[in-house]
Amino acid sequence: MLSTKDAIALENQYGAHNYHPLPVVLARGEGVYVWDPEGNRYFDFLSAYSAVNQGHCHPHIIDALKQQSETLTLTSRAFYNNVLGEFEKLVCDTFGFENVLPMNTGAEGVETAIKICRKWAYEKKGVPENEAKIVVCSNNFHGRTTTIISFSDDSNARDHFGPYTPGFVKVPYNDLQKLNEALQDETVAGFLVEPIQGEAGVNVPDDDYLRKAAELCGRHNVLLIADEIQTGIARTGSMLAVCGNCTCEGACERRADTYVRPDLLILGKALAGGVYPVSAVLADKEIMDVIKPGQHGSTFGGNPLGVRVAIAALEVVRDENLIQNARKLGSIFRSEMKKLQSECSLVATVRGKGLLNAVEINDSPDSSTAWDLCVKLKENGLLAKPTHGNIIRFAPPLVMTKEQLMECISIIRKTFLEWG
Ligand SMILES: *Cc1c(COP(=O)(O)O)cnc(C)c1O
């Protein structure tokens, strides 16, 4: 097996340098743990950006992968396959929509939602051809395609990749007044929003932001498009972040007082437990029906291997009560981090929901403090990654036990307190 040093050297020599990884090589994973080639064990506090909510190599998901991989993997959508319908019914029932369109990566899910929204604007809302606009938020992260980076305000993601796709209007996140102003334009077709901004540093909006945004969208006949690629599938202590404080396990009554219903819902990442790339856009028929045969698709979207894995991944969320566990461990984590904050001047703020949390470090976003702390955390057996300079996101797999979490908290405490 390649050593840590050799594996890093090979990636550095032959790989494009489009990432700046922490200097650790992962060779194996199981549940909340990963190991490097030398056999050192780490707690994974990134979970592949919340794709591995069900834990690494979950046996139920891997069984599904093994069985389906020996049976049928890819048919294309030129033919029906005998797994896709089962997946479609399960996700529609679980999330409360009439139809689903399966894709592969998250960015493809976002692109799909944008296309559906624009087509709906011309065919149902009556927006003049080529004039549809979609309102997006500042500091958004929705993926890496040329259209999606066109409405990013991260210069790293955007600069020198133009010309940019037109038709997007930006408003500040968590600002209902600015949203309301933008919605006065009758060519606005949709409002694309993350219920919590993960990449931007786990920005949690005001409690009533999404509900009021949904009301404004409804009043102006604008589609609310929720990107739950990172926040969905139990991560924030409910099946979807738009479920708010609902305590259901998925197929629930979705009480009006806790649930904000998007018109288009985008899922990815943990939808297939980090075992296979599966994304999906959900909507009711009235909206989804604008897409006719030949107008959108993907060779791999809805393939039997991916959707079989996704079915198993959703079963794990239900059978292992990951919603409740994320909620319970998340509140322990935040209260322990707030305790640390009172003892340690390094911690500026603690925020998050469920097991999607962040600690903002008391230093300039240009400093290397958060990075250096993550290197120390790694040396102490815990893997986390800074986002936006001085923010550390903490997002372990949702299968963590309370005992494991307490061990992790003591690693974080030790690392921060030793720093000074
Ligand atoms: C990760 C992510 C995406 C993009 O998903 P990919 O699978 O990397 O294309 C889009 N939106 C949000 C909110 C994400 O976290």
Side-chain angles (χ1 to χ4, degrees):
M1 195 198 293
L2 280 179
S3 68
T4 290
K5 190 164 158 284
D6 293 346
I8 290 177
L10 276 179
E11 284 200 31
N12 278 342
Q13 186 175 351
Y14 293 103
H17 292 186
N18 57 330
Y19 278 90
H20 178 37
L22 215 68
V24 63
V25 174
L26 303 182
R28 186 161 76 85
E30 192 184 314
V32 299
Y33 299 116
V34 285
W35 286 265
D36 69 16
E38 289 74 26
N40 299 303
R41 192 187 78 176
Y42 306 90
F43 285 105
D44 180 0
F45 260 69
L46 185 65
S47 308
Y49 301 99
S50 295
V52 194
N53 289 1
Q54 297 87 339
H56 290 277
C57 298
H58 193 291
H60 181 66
I61 306 176
I62 297 303
D63 270 353
L65 177 81
K66 283 183 186 161
Q67 281 186 28
Q68 190 62 43
S69 69
E70 290 171 352
T71 309
L72 183 68
T73 58
L74 181 64
T75 56
S76 84
R77 298 289 301 279
F79 312 110
Y80 291 87
N81 73 65
N82 71 343
V83 194
L84 180 55
E86 195 186 323
F87 164 79
E88 290 171 335
K89 179 175 183 346
L90 178 65
V91 287
C92 284
D93 289 350
T94 301
F95 299 100
F97 287 86
E98 291 172 358
N99 279 172
V100 58
L101 197 161
M103 295 292 282
N104 311 285
T105 63
E108 286 174 299
V110 174
E111 289 276 349
T112 300
I114 290 169
K115 287 174 72 176
I116 295 170
C117 181
R118 285 179 165 187
K119 207 154 187 296
W120 172 87
Y122 302 125
E123 296 178 4
K124 303 269 169 132
K125 181 167 175 170
V127 173
E129 193 62 26
N130 291 326
E131 286 183 24
K133 296 190 188 79
I134 293 177
V135 177
V136 299
C137 291
S138 51
N139 297 318
N140 68 72
F141 181 83
H142 297 288
R144 300 295 198 168
T145 65
T146 32
T147 286
I148 293 170
I149 58 97
S150 293
F151 55 84
S152 168
D153 44 23
D154 177 345
S155 62
N156 236 351
R158 195 181 137 90
D159 287 359
H160 296 165
F161 292 120
Y164 303 112
T165 306
F168 298 94
V169 176
K170 209 170 297 161
V171 297
Y173 190 60
N174 197 25
D175 186 333
L176 289 162
Q177 196 183 329
K178 285 285 190 316
L179 174 64
N180 193 27
E181 283 168 31
L183 297 184
Q184 302 305 315
D185 179 343
E186 285 177 4
T187 61
V188 170
F191 173 47
L192 172 61
V193 64
E194 298 158 85
I196 292 173
Q197 289 187 324
E199 293 312 300
V202 190
N203 291 340
V204 184
D206 296 340
D207 277 346
D208 60 354
Y209 174 63
L210 284 174
R211 171 182 327 289
K212 291 198 169 145
E215 278 168 26
L216 290 174
C217 287
R219 205 175 302 156
H220 291 94
N221 196 23
V222 162
L223 302 184
L224 176 64
I225 310 169
D227 179 346
E228 291 246 20
I229 292 167
Q230 185 161 159
T231 52
I233 326 289
R235 171 54 59 187
T236 64
S238 44
M239 195 54 166
L240 298 172
V242 292
C243 292
N245 296 317
C246 179
T247 50
C248 81
E249 284 154 55
C252 73
E253 71 270 31
R254 301 201 185 275
R255 298 194 342 257
D257 57 331
T258 56
Y259 179 51
V260 176
R261 191 173 194 278
D263 300 295
L264 286 160
L265 170 67
I266 312 166
L267 298 173
K269 293 197 168 116
L271 180 58
V275 171
Y276 202 95
V278 177
S279 63
V281 176
L282 289 93
D284 283 345
K285 286 186 191 301
E286 185 203 353
I287 294 168
M288 195 67 94
D289 275 353
V290 301
I291 301 292
K292 303 277 186 318
Q295 296 175 348
H296 190 60
S298 158
T299 303
F300 281 84
N303 72 78
L305 183 57
V307 295
R308 175 60 76 203
V309 165
I311 291 169
L314 287 171
E315 287 168 348
V316 169
V317 173
R318 180 195 61 205
D319 295 346
E320 302 193 8
N321 300 315
L322 298 188
I323 292 169
Q324 291 80 351
N325 200 48
R327 183 175 300 216
K328 186 182 79 184
L329 296 195
S331 67
I332 296 172
F333 183 80
R334 280 185 302 282
S335 78
E336 290 290 329
M337 288 301 108
K338 283 182 180 149
K339 213 190 288 174
L340 178 61
Q341 183 180 11
S342 68
E343 299 166 55
C344 175
S345 60
L346 262 181
V347 179
T349 51
V350 177
R351 58 175 178 258
K353 208 160 189 197
L355 279 175
L356 183 60
N357 294 295
V359 167
E360 196 165 335
I361 302 301
N362 216 345
D363 205 341
S364 118
D366 302 324
S367 74
S368 67
T369 310
W371 176 272
D372 297 339
L373 272 165
C374 286
V375 172
K376 285 280 177 232
L377 284 168
K378 181 215 103 174
E379 286 163 10
N380 291 331
L382 188 149
L383 300 180
K385 187 94 199 287
T387 181
H388 281 243
N390 61 339
I391 301 166
I392 304 178
R393 172 174 32 199
F394 289 104
L398 310 182
V399 293
M400 182 166 271
T401 65
K402 188 179 169 198
E403 291 66 37
Q404 289 167 334
L405 180 72
M406 295 318 289
E407 194 181 334
C408 295
I409 286 165
S410 68
I411 294 173
I412 296 168
R413 284 184 62 83
K414 172 172 152 13
T415 308
F416 276 63
L417 290 170
E418 275 177 4
W419 189 275

